[in-house]
Amino acid sequence: EFTEPIFDLEAHPENNDILYATGTSVVAKSLNGGSTWSPVYGDWGGFATGVSVVEINPMGKEIWAGGQGAIENGFLLRSNDDMTWDEWNDLVENPTVVKEITFSDKATTEVFVGFEGALLKTTDGGETWQTLIESEQNRFYFGIGLREQNPSRVYTGGWLKTPDPQPLTIFISDNGGHSWDEFSFPGESYGGILDLQIT
């Protein structure tokens, strides 16, 4: 009976009737292809900026989500059963927001997460985290690309929250994110990246 914006939508990799969607402060699940929905995290009609992303690990099948709360606090979520959730609230200094979650093909426990201001990685399913890039300009890391043929190579890009022109900038690592080469294309004056897909 209430309106709820949808920020992201994800189909289960093994059953397309199972869908997950995110709203203002909710992760909801449908078992019938979207006809009806039930909250599995949070609730309808919350007060926050929004749960901006939901992804299902194709190898581990756990559900990951993240976004920004009511006081511009970035948070990251993970669940194995839709009922209990692990939650991280202090991985990146606030204000921040989770914008991208990408899973490695080489291990079920390796996950990359793009925040406003930083790109993070875990190799143990979230027990510990490494900051791969920390942006003094608070770049939003929207795009994270991995190649199955070369799992050590990582691509990323992002967007600076500014009305001023910004070049198209790609960051490439050949060692899993430990060091990076930066490539800018100044001819693209409004070149911030909102998404990145490797084919």
Side-chain angles (χ1 to χ4, degrees), residues 103-176:
F103 307 103
S104 170
D105 288 325
K106 65 181 182 179
T108 60
T109 56
E110 186 169 274
V111 183
F112 295 81
V113 181
F115 284 79
E116 176 189 3
L119 175 67
L120 271 60
K121 171 185 173 182
T122 178
T123 57
D124 52 19
E127 295 296 322
T128 59
W129 292 89
Q130 304 167 322
T131 299
L132 303 181
I133 302 176
E134 190 167 13
S135 170
E136 294 180 358
Q137 300 169 296
N138 284 332
R139 184 185 303 272
F140 290 78
Y141 288 95
F142 283 97
I144 305 168
L146 307 173
R147 285 199 184 278
E148 185 176 352
Q149 304 91 330
N150 185 0
S152 295
R153 173 164 278 204
V154 184
Y155 300 84
T156 191
W159 178 76
L160 299 174
K161 188 166 55 177
T162 173
D164 299 326
Q166 57 185 287
L168 171 62
T169 303
I170 301 288
F171 302 85
I172 301 176
S173 172
D174 282 313
N175 51 21

Side-chain angles (χ1 to χ4, degrees), residues 32-188:
N32 51 21
S35 295
T36 59
W37 294 87
S38 299
V40 292
Y41 171 86
D43 210 344
W44 308 118
F47 181 70
T49 303
V51 185
S52 52
V53 59
V54 60
E55 298 285 348
I56 300 173
N57 188 334
M59 297 177 70
K61 303 301 185 290
E62 71 268 15
I63 302 98
W64 290 75
Q68 187 179 67
I71 54 173
E72 296 190 320
N73 53 303
F75 61 88
L76 181 65
L77 307 167
R78 179 193 60 196
S79 177
N80 292 309
D81 57 10
D82 296 338
M83 295 180 290
T84 57
W85 292 82
D86 298 312
E87 186 168 351
W88 295 269
N89 292 288
D90 55 359
L91 294 175
V92 176
E93 184 178 354
N94 291 312
T96 188
V97 58
V98 173
K99 285 295 186 182
E100 185 82 11
I101 301 170
T102 301
F103 307 103
S104 170
D105 288 325
K106 65 181 182 179
T108 60
T109 56
E110 186 169 274
V111 183
F112 295 81
V113 181
F115 284 79
E116 176 189 3
L119 175 67
L120 271 60
K121 171 185 173 182
T122 178
T123 57
D124 52 19
E127 295 296 322
T128 59
W129 292 89
Q130 304 167 322
T131 299
L132 303 181
I133 302 176
E134 190 167 13
S135 170
E136 294 180 358
Q137 300 169 296
N138 284 332
R139 184 185 303 272
F140 290 78
Y141 288 95
F142 283 97
I144 305 168
L146 307 173
R147 285 199 184 278
E148 185 176 352
Q149 304 91 330
N150 185 0
S152 295
R153 173 164 278 204
V154 184
Y155 300 84
T156 191
W159 178 76
L160 299 174
K161 188 166 55 177
T162 173
D164 299 326
Q166 57 185 287
L168 171 62
T169 303
I170 301 288
F171 302 85
I172 301 176
S173 172
D174 282 313
N175 51 21
H178 294 290
S179 61
W180 297 84
D181 293 316
E182 181 177 337
F183 300 90
S184 289
F185 304 89
E188 301 295 335

Side-chain angles (χ1 to χ4, degrees), residues 2-45:
F2 302 102
T3 59
E4 185 80 30
I6 296 175
F7 292 102
D8 199 15
L9 183 68
E10 178 80 356
H12 195 282
E14 295 177 350
N15 186 340
N16 287 333
D17 285 333
I18 300 176
L19 303 174
Y20 292 87
T22 66
T24 304
S25 60
V26 65
V27 178
K29 180 179 181 179
S30 174
L31 297 173
N32 51 21
S35 295
T36 59
W37 294 87
S38 299
V40 292
Y41 171 86
D43 210 344
W44 308 118

